[in-house]
Amino acid sequence: MFNFLKKPSSKDKVKQRLQLMLAYDRAQFAPGKMEELQEELIEVIKKYFPLEDTDYDVTLERRDDHLVFIANVPVQQ
Amino acid sequence: MNAKAIVITSGKGGVGKTTATANVGAAVAQLGDKVAVIDTDVGLRNLDVVMGLEGRVVFDLIDVFEGKCRLKQALIRDKRVEHLYLLAASQTRDKTALSEEHMQETVRQLLEEEGFDRVLIDSPAGIETGFQTAASAATGALVIVNPEVSSVRDADRIIGLLEARGIEEVKLIVNRIRPEMVKRGDMLEVDDILEILGVKLIGIIPEDEKILVSTNIGNPASLSDTHKQSAGSAFRDVAKRMRGEDAPFPSFEGNPTLFSGLRKLFGGS
């Protein structure tokens, strides 16, 4: 009821950190590798589409039992 | 659990592997199984001390491997419980003195020739040779985890390595839960840890001073502590579940109540 007034507990923070940490661990990704992958991926996509010159977003996300690779890459219209 | 040879492991050190091995081993024996507990932490042996059997170690696991004694001679009988035996690690050697083949052969002999119902293998910390050797003889695993970030991360790694070895029956013991901290949202709940690690639960052990007292005197708490909310009782429950007996889980769930929420709002703890 008063959840919106409350600071997130340290438990919520550690849970979030762990989920992200383990997502990388399980995919055997060193955190720096993700940026490397993003750059390569953008280069490949650029061969086929003109891209918006904005921030790209490449992440691993947990969805139920799966780890999902998500790339958010705006394309020029 | 279907598995008769069970490795007790955690990745991280100091989370309670040896304590769990001693307590679950003693409790399973008390329930009627013939149990051998094996210390594989060569060079840093401790299971004998936790069980109060350090004065009776004559031969150890390495002596068996090297043919200096027969398996039977190295098995130390615990006089407090019927059918409980310890196979100690060597204190003066290192992990290279163990081999997976020897380990597997020893466990096979215990189960097939010496008539043991369960063999609990206390693994050393880490993910290297020592752990691999301990796991090589097991068909099931108890993973010990503390509700703490580095322990959970290491447990996840260990679970991956157990699965890679083809060990499918992996059960989790959450050790050192502090209900007060869970209640105020400062400790991971058991459900959080299960969700993160994706394995089945077999025990929730509360933090309990009496565990230290019981190791001080070398008498597993699961044999002596009858208090309902004690760690000793919680270890007895693990033993029951391992044997397929019914033992409901205690609740340490910490959904903050309206009252504690309000208290927090006004700066209380």
Side-chain angles (χ1 to χ4, degrees):
Chain A
M1 180 192 261
F2 290 101
N3 274 351
F4 63 96
L5 287 172
K6 244 172 41 186
K7 277 194 289 182
S9 66
S10 73
K11 181 207 90 161
D12 295 331
K13 282 186 186 160
V14 70
K15 192 176 176 186
Q16 267 176 10
R17 287 175 60 215
L18 266 167
Q19 279 171 332
L20 196 62
M21 214 183 292
L22 296 187
Y24 280 108
D25 282 355
R26 287 169 187 166
Q28 296 190 314
F29 259 89
K33 281 270 178 193
M34 216 48 190
E35 283 76 53
E36 217 176 289
L37 169 60
Q38 174 170 324
E39 280 169 33
E40 280 186 43
L41 193 69
I42 297 301
E43 287 312 307
V44 174
I45 298 173
K46 269 183 183 166
K47 288 184 189 172
Y48 299 88
F49 297 106
L51 295 185
E52 292 274 2
D53 196 13
T54 64
D55 282 344
Y56 308 118
D57 182 26
V58 174
T59 52
L60 290 171
E61 205 178 286
R62 267 179 65 92
R63 285 189 186 167
D64 298 325
D65 288 342
H66 300 281
L67 186 63
V68 186
F69 178 85
I70 298 166
N72 202 338
V73 185
V75 176
Q76 273 183 26
Q77 294 179 350
Chain B
M1 288 178 81
N2 292 321
K4 291 182 164 185
I6 297 165
V7 63
I8 289 90
T9 183
S10 63
K12 190 176 183 299
V15 300
K17 282 182 297 296
T18 301
T19 308
T21 307
N23 279 281
V24 174
V28 173
Q30 201 171 43
L31 290 169
D33 282 357
K34 185 174 177 185
V35 181
V37 291
I38 307 181
D39 190 349
T40 62
D41 204 348
V42 180
L44 295 167
R45 89 169 181 222
N46 272 320
L47 185 56
D48 54 330
V49 182
V50 170
M51 296 178 74
L53 299 173
E54 70 275 14
R56 296 180 47 211
V57 179
V58 180
F59 295 113
D60 57 51
L61 192 56
I62 310 290
D63 294 324
V64 178
F65 288 177
E66 293 180 346
K68 290 181 184 155
C69 69
R70 284 177 295 113
L71 178 55
K72 259 200 175 87
Q73 293 175 287
L75 286 168
I76 302 157
R77 191 173 73 83
D78 190 317
K79 290 169 182 163
R80 289 163 300 207
V81 199
E82 223 182 333
H83 306 317
L84 177 62
Y85 294 81
L86 165 73
L87 193 46
S90 168
Q91 180 70 351
T92 52
R93 304 290 292 273
D94 62 56
K95 264 74 173 173
T96 58
L98 289 182
S99 79
E100 296 198 1
E101 292 72 29
H102 276 125
M103 196 65 214
Q104 289 162 10
E105 174 56 18
T106 302
V107 171
R108 190 199 62 77
Q109 279 182 34
L110 288 169
L111 292 173
E112 292 177 14
E113 292 167 22
E114 302 296 333
F116 281 90
D117 299 306
R118 301 271 182 189
V119 177
L120 303 187
I121 306 160
D122 186 16
S123 154
I127 56 173
E128 296 85 10
T129 327
F131 156 72
Q132 295 290 355
T133 309
S136 73
T139 51
L142 294 182
V143 173
I144 317 293
V145 67
N146 289 171
E148 175 263 322
V149 64
S150 50
S151 175
V152 177
R153 187 187 201 184
D154 290 4
D156 188 70
R157 186 96 166 85
I158 266 307
I159 290 164
L161 293 171
L162 290 167
E163 282 169 359
R165 291 207 76 105
I167 297 175
E168 281 168 11
E169 206 175 12
V170 177
K171 298 284 168 80
L172 193 72
I173 293 182
V174 181
N175 193 23
R176 297 204 184 131
I177 277 277
R178 295 172 63 176
E180 286 310 304
M181 290 192 73
V182 173
K183 273 179 202 141
R184 58 170 198 262
D186 279 332
M187 181 173 270
L188 284 164
E189 287 173 41
V190 172
D191 283 350
D192 296 325
I193 299 172
L194 292 176
E195 182 192 329
I196 291 167
L197 294 178
V199 286
K200 293 243 166 67
L201 183 70
I202 196 167
I204 306 172
I205 318 295
E207 174 86 65
D208 186 348
E209 288 183 359
K210 278 174 284 177
I211 287 294
L212 181 60
V213 177
S214 77
T215 56
N216 286 347
I217 58 176
N219 187 18
S222 64
L223 292 180
S224 52
D225 199 335
T226 51
H227 190 273
K228 236 184 154 187
Q229 256 130 36
S230 67
S233 289
F235 278 122
R236 273 201 303 280
D237 285 347
V238 174
K240 285 182 192 161
R241 292 179 198 117
M242 191 182 263
R243 281 164 49 91
E245 293 171 27
D246 194 36
F249 284 101
S251 168
F252 295 114
E253 296 316 296
N255 290 329
T257 59
L258 175 58
F259 178 67
S260 72
L262 280 170
R263 220 169 32 174
K264 218 174 228 173
L265 257 181
F266 292 111
S269 59

